[in-house]
Amino acid sequence: MPAGGHRLYWSQILFFMHLSRLIAALALTAAIASPADLTPQRQDLNVKSFEYAWKTIRDRYWGTMPVDWQQVHDELLPKVENAKTMPEARAAMIEMIDRLKLTHFNIIPSEVYDTLGDAVHPGKGGIGEPGFDVRVLENQAIVTEVENGSPAAAAGIKPGWRLVKVSETEVAPIIKKVGDAYKDKTTRELYLSRSILARFRGGAGDKVAAEFLNGQNQAVNIDVVLKEPRGHESTFGFLPTQYVWFESRKIGNTGYVRFNMFMDPARISSLFGDAVESCEKCDGFIIDLRGNPGGLGAMSMGMAGWFIDRPNQELGVMKMKGNELKFVVTPRADTFKGPLAILVDGDTGSTAEIFAEGLKDLGRARVFGTRSAGAALPSLFERLPNGDGFQYAIANYISADGKPLEGIGVIPDVEVKLTRQALLDGDHPVVDAAVKWIAQQRSGK
Amino acid sequence: MKRNRWIYISCAVMAATIGAGTAAADEPLPKAETIMDRFVEVTGGKAAYEKRTSIIETSAMELVGKGVSGTATHWGDTSNNSYESGEIQGVGKVDDGVYNGVAWENSAIMGPRVKSGEERADAIRDSMFNGTLYWRKLYPKVETAGIEKVGDEDCYKVVATPTDGKPVTMYFSEKSGLMLKETRTLVSPMGEIPAETLLEDYKPFDGVLEPTKREQSLMGQQMVVTVTDIKVNAEIPKDRFQPPPEIQKLLQKAAAPAPPAADKK
C-alpha cells in the first residue's frame, strides 16, 4: 500500500539463467587455479564456501535428490578441511556437485571468474577468438564456418578443413578422451567442440599454431591470429562478460536470423522483432539456433510471441521446489503466420532448447538438424565466501509435451547432419532442408 | 477544515494509545480496521495524505548476491493512473503501468503485454493514489489474524481481502503502528508466486512517512529496493501515463473486429 513503485521489481522472476556454454567453458578452465599453499583464513573460507554450496543445493533442489546428500557432505567436508592448496579444496567442492550428475552446477575458480568478467583481456587467457567454428563430425574436428573478414579467413582457412593439431597438440586424442568421457551423453557434442575451441586461448592478436588438412587432404600449417570477439559486450550480474551478435538476411523470400546467445535483451529482442516485422510477406522464417547456448530463459517467451497469435500458450514449465513457473508466450500485435523452421545441433543448449522444443510441441515450428545438448536447467550464479563463482540449478524444465529437456534435448523433426564433404562443397544442408520444406509448405506439396 | 483536523488528531491519539505496549496473550486483538486506521495516522494522517496530488519516486534496486542492479522511476497521481519505468543492468527497460483501467507491462525480455483477470485487478489496486488512505475501497474485508514477529518487533497480522483478487497479509508493528511486512501471491500467466516484502526505514516526504527500503523475496531470490527520492506534488505531464506504442498496438488489435470467417486459417 505505501506509495511508489514496486510492481516493476517483481520482474526479477524473469532473471533465471539457462546457459549451457558456460558449463563447458568453465569446466575446461577449472584447472588453471593457483597451487599456492592455503592460509588458515583461506581454509576457513573454503569450508564456509563448501557448506554454503552444499546447503544451497540441499535447500533449492526441486525433487528427490539423486544421491544421499548428507553422506556426500560427510565424505567430502574433511577433504576441504584438510586441503593444502586451492586446487585440492576446489576439487572436493567440484566432486560434491559432480555427484549430482546434472548440468548447470559449477564451481568456478575465482581466477577464471574474475578474468572472464573483465572487459579487457590482454595476453594469454584473454578473450581472443580464432574466427572460425568447429564441430566434431565423424570423430574429426571440422571447421564448419569461417567469419568473414577475420584473420582466419584472410589466412585461407575454409569450411570443411580438418583441424589436426593445435599448439603442437594432436586433436584426435582430445576427441577420444572427451568423447569417451561424455559417451552416451547428450552434451557430448557440446563438450567436444568446446574442448577444441578452448585450445585457441589468448588475447586478440596472439597467435596459435594449428595444422589443418585442406580440401585435398594436404597439411596446411597456419599461425591462427586471434581476433576480438564478435558482437557487443553484454554483462549481467556476476556472469562473465558475454559478446552477443545477431545477424539477419533473406534466403530468396525466406527470412533467416541467427544470434549466438539469448542475452542483451534490449538489443537482441529488438533486432529479432525488426527482422520478423520486415518479413511479413516472406514465404517462411528460419531461426538458426545451432551453437546457441541459451541465456536469459524468459527471452524465449517474448521471442516466441512473434509467431504465436493465441494467448496463454506455454512453451513449458519450470518446476522448482514448492513452486512452478509457466513459460507463457506473450503474443505480439502482428505475428508472423507463415512456416517457421528452427535449426539446432549438439551445441544448442538451455534457453535455445526451451524455445525450439516449446514451439515444436505447440505445433508452430518444424525443427531441423541434430539433437541438441539436453542441458536446460534454470540456474543462478553467486559468489562464494572464498571468491569462487557458484552456479546452481534451481529447477527442472518440462517442455509443453510434458517431457524434461535435461539429458534428452530437442530431437529434430528432420535430422540433417553436416558432413565434411558438404562443407567443402560450400553446401548448407541443414539450411537447405529448411528452405525446401518452407517452399513445399507454400506450394502446398 | 479545522474541525476535521481535530477529529483526525483525536483519532491519532486514540489509535496510538491502542497500539502502545505489547498486548497480553489473553487480551483481545484490536480490530483490523483500527490497525489500518492507525497506520494512516502514524504515517501522517488523512490531511497530509489529501494534500498529495502526485508522486514521483525514484529508486535503486539490487538483486542480492547476484550482482544485478538497476534504477526505476514511478509516477502516480490522483487520476489513479501510474507508470513505472525501470532500467536493469544487462536487461534493459522494464516498464509497467495502469492507464484508465488498462494494466500493462512492457519489457525487453518479454515484450508488451496487457494484463487481465486477477493480475489486472492487483495492478489497478496498486495504482490507486494514496492507497493507504483509501484502504477501505481497496479491501472491503480486513481481519486481525494474530500477532507475529517481524524481526524483533511484535506485529499485528492483518489479512486484507480485495473484491477481486487474493488476500494480502500485512504486518503492523504493535509499537509504532507502521507496516513492516506484506505477503501476497503474485498472479500472472506464468503462475501464482508467493512473495514477501519487508518495509523499512520510514522517512517523511511532505508530511507522509514512506518506507525507503523494501526487501522483496520471491522464489528464493532477494531484491533490495532503496528509494532515493520522492517528489510530492511535482507536475506530471498529462501524457506521462499513456502506455507505450507497443501496448497501444495490442489494445487496437484487441478492439478491432475479427476478420471474416473465410479469412481465418
Side-chain angles (χ1 to χ4, degrees):
Chain A
M1 273 199 312
H6 60 279
R7 229 169 35 244
L8 190 73
Y9 290 123
W10 298 126
S11 62
Q12 64 172 285
I13 61 172
L14 305 178
F15 300 162
F16 292 108
M17 294 300 302
H18 301 65
L19 185 60
S20 64
R21 178 179 295 164
L22 224 55
I23 306 165
L26 296 171
L28 293 162
T29 53
I32 71 167
S34 158
D37 282 352
L38 291 173
T39 61
Q41 188 188 18
R42 191 81 183 151
Q43 279 176 322
D44 183 49
L45 289 173
N46 283 337
V47 169
K48 283 181 177 151
S49 299
F50 176 88
E51 292 287 4
Y52 182 84
W54 182 83
K55 278 181 190 149
T56 302
I57 293 169
R58 179 196 65 186
D59 295 344
R60 301 298 299 270
Y61 196 80
W62 53 91
T64 306
M65 296 206 67
V67 287
D68 183 337
W69 200 232
Q70 187 62 50
Q71 190 186 325
V72 170
H73 173 274
D74 297 346
E75 182 187 334
L76 296 174
L77 177 61
K79 286 192 182 182
V80 179
E81 288 171 331
N82 299 322
K84 298 278 186 265
T85 64
M86 268 313 283
E88 279 178 40
R90 200 169 280 138
M93 285 191 257
I94 291 170
E95 191 179 343
M96 170 179 73
I97 60 172
D98 279 353
R99 297 281 178 94
L100 293 167
K101 298 191 189 311
L102 290 168
T103 63
H104 291 76
F105 286 91
N106 282 298
I107 300 292
I108 305 150
S110 57
E111 297 92 325
V112 177
Y113 211 44
D114 293 342
T115 305
L116 290 175
D118 289 343
V120 182
H121 305 250
K124 287 288 176 191
I127 54 165
E129 291 181 346
F132 57 82
D133 206 355
V134 167
R135 293 287 187 278
V136 173
L137 308 175
E138 296 176 340
N139 291 320
Q140 295 179 345
I142 304 297
V143 174
T144 52
E145 184 180 9
V146 180
E147 197 179 322
N148 285 337
S150 65
I157 298 169
K158 299 258 187 313
W161 281 23
R162 180 182 165 192
L163 183 62
V164 181
K165 280 185 193 172
V166 184
S167 304
E168 301 299 320
T169 303
E170 295 276 351
V171 170
I174 300 170
I175 294 173
K176 174 83 172 74
K177 189 177 168 189
V178 176
D180 286 350
Y182 293 94
K183 191 180 156 196
D184 302 327
K185 302 273 187 199
T186 50
T187 46
R188 183 175 182 270
E189 199 177 324
L190 174 72
Y191 277 97
L192 279 169
S193 57
R194 295 297 139 195
S195 65
I196 292 159
L197 287 168
R199 306 273 155 176
F200 292 92
R201 286 180 59 82
D206 288 352
K207 291 177 182 173
V208 178
E211 182 183 321
F212 298 88
L213 290 182
N214 67 13
Q216 290 75 45
N217 280 326
Q218 296 161 329
V220 181
N221 288 290
I222 293 176
D223 281 341
V224 176
V225 180
L226 303 184
K227 59 178 280 295
E228 293 286 341
R230 181 181 176 190
H232 290 68
E233 271 185 24
S234 171
T235 57
F236 182 73
F238 290 140
L239 269 182
T241 300
Q242 307 290 326
Y243 292 83
V244 188
W245 52 260
F246 181 93
E247 66 177 55
S248 71
R249 58 189 161 94
K250 294 257 180 79
I251 302 171
N253 194 34
T254 294
Y256 172 92
V257 299
R258 191 165 74 129
F259 51 102
N260 67 326
M261 298 180 88
F262 284 80
M263 293 292 285
D264 193 5
R267 205 170 58 83
I268 297 300
S269 296
S270 172
L271 290 168
F272 188 84
D274 290 347
V276 181
E277 280 191 311
S278 70
C279 216
E280 189 188 352
K281 296 193 182 345
C282 286
D283 291 342
F285 204 84
I286 297 172
I287 304 170
D288 191 345
L289 298 178
R290 290 175 296 169
N292 188 316
L296 282 163
M299 281 178 75
S300 62
M301 294 181 268
M303 287 183 164
W306 288 105
F307 304 97
I308 299 274
D309 214 6
R310 293 161 293 161
N312 302 319
Q313 299 298 299
E314 295 172 22
L315 296 176
V317 181
M318 193 168 116
K319 287 189 179 289
M320 292 159 285
K321 194 168 192 169
N323 216 327
E324 65 177 40
L325 209 57
K326 295 172 195 161
F327 272 46
V328 181
V329 176
T330 48
R332 304 283 169 151
D334 299 313
T335 53
F336 180 76
K337 296 177 179 63
L340 173 65
I342 298 176
L343 316 185
V344 299
D345 69 4
D347 280 32
T348 304
S350 295
T351 303
E353 295 183 282
I354 288 169
F355 182 83
E357 185 68 39
L359 287 173
K360 180 188 170 205
D361 288 354
L362 289 171
R364 181 62 189 91
R366 194 161 176 82
V367 179
F368 296 79
T370 52
R371 183 199 285 248
S372 67
L377 300 181
S379 64
L380 297 172
F381 286 81
E382 287 188 41
R383 196 178 278 278
L384 292 170
N386 68 359
D388 282 358
F390 173 42
Q391 183 192 18
Y392 57 96
I394 44 94
N396 198 2
Y397 187 85
I398 308 297
S399 74
D401 264 2
K403 57 181 179 293
L405 284 172
E406 179 74 6
I408 295 174
V410 181
I411 298 166
D413 296 299
V414 182
E415 186 177 52
V416 187
K417 290 183 176 174
L418 280 181
T419 64
R420 186 183 178 210
Q421 193 55 54
L423 290 163
L424 287 169
D425 293 344
D427 291 339
H428 303 280
V430 187
V431 175
D432 292 347
V435 170
K436 188 178 169 190
W437 170 73
I438 286 168
Q440 286 170 344
Q441 296 302 299
R442 280 292 174 189
S443 64
K445 288 178 186 171
Chain B
M1 190 73 177
K2 199 178 262 184
R3 189 178 162 192
N4 281 350
R5 194 185 299 161
W6 275 111
I7 290 169
Y8 294 122
I9 290 170
S10 304
C11 286
V13 172
M14 282 164 59
T17 309
I18 291 164
T22 304
D26 54 353
E27 271 180 39
L29 292 168
K31 283 188 169 182
E33 289 83 350
T34 308
I35 297 167
M36 300 287 278
D37 284 340
R38 182 184 174 213
F39 179 54
V40 174
E41 291 310 320
V42 299
T43 50
K46 186 181 179 197
Y49 276 101
E50 284 182 338
K51 279 183 192 165
R52 308 200 302 183
T53 56
S54 73
I55 285 278
I56 303 174
E57 178 194 287
T58 50
S59 56
M61 65 75 104
E62 188 195 351
L63 207 53
V64 177
K66 310 289 187 295
V68 177
S69 60
T71 55
T73 305
H74 166 97
W75 294 265
D77 73 8
T78 50
S79 69
N80 293 329
N81 292 322
S82 63
Y83 196 112
E84 292 177 49
S85 183
E87 183 76 34
I88 295 167
Q89 167 259 327
V91 171
K93 278 191 84 173
V94 185
D95 287 3
D96 185 294
V98 170
Y99 183 67
N100 294 345
V102 173
W104 58 269
E105 181 186 84
N106 188 23
S107 75
I109 295 185
M110 293 274 287
R113 192 166 70 81
V114 175
K115 298 175 184 178
S116 60
E118 277 187 33
E119 187 187 22
R120 172 180 172 269
D122 287 347
I124 289 173
R125 215 166 35 251
D126 287 343
S127 186
M128 179 175 262
F129 190 70
N130 280 341
T132 300
L133 178 61
Y134 301 117
W135 65 264
R136 282 182 171 82
K137 285 186 187 171
L138 301 178
Y139 302 104
K141 185 181 165 193
V142 290
E143 287 176 310
T144 311
I147 294 179
E148 279 186 24
K149 280 212 184 291
V150 175
D152 293 334
E153 288 203 45
D154 285 321
C155 286
Y156 294 121
K157 180 179 174 183
V158 172
V159 179
T161 308
T163 310
D164 198 0
K166 301 212 164 359
V168 175
T169 306
M170 304 172 196
Y171 299 78
F172 297 91
S173 165
E174 252 192 280
K175 194 174 160 190
S176 68
L178 294 173
M179 193 204 294
L180 302 186
K181 187 170 98 167
E182 179 202 89
T183 60
R184 61 158 80 185
T185 303
L186 294 177
V187 179
S188 82
M190 294 175 77
E192 295 186 358
I193 302 157
E196 177 184 294
T197 307
L198 295 174
L199 305 162
E200 300 166 35
D201 293 348
Y202 277 85
K203 288 178 184 163
F205 294 90
D206 276 37
V208 175
L209 290 177
E210 294 284 0
T212 58
K213 188 178 176 191
R214 297 189 285 260
E215 290 183 43
Q216 300 183 172
S217 307
L218 74 161
M219 298 198 314
Q221 290 197 119
Q222 275 80 43
M223 180 179 281
V224 175
V225 179
T226 307
V227 174
T228 49
D229 187 33
I230 295 180
K231 285 188 171 59
V232 177
N233 295 344
E235 193 175 335
I236 298 177
K238 289 270 181 242
D239 60 356
R240 174 67 266 175
F241 301 115
Q242 288 273 353
E246 296 91 338
I247 298 293
Q248 294 187 24
K249 215 169 168 183
L250 282 176
L251 293 170
Q252 283 162 11
K253 186 186 177 190
D263 291 348
K264 285 184 179 173
K265 289 192 177 176

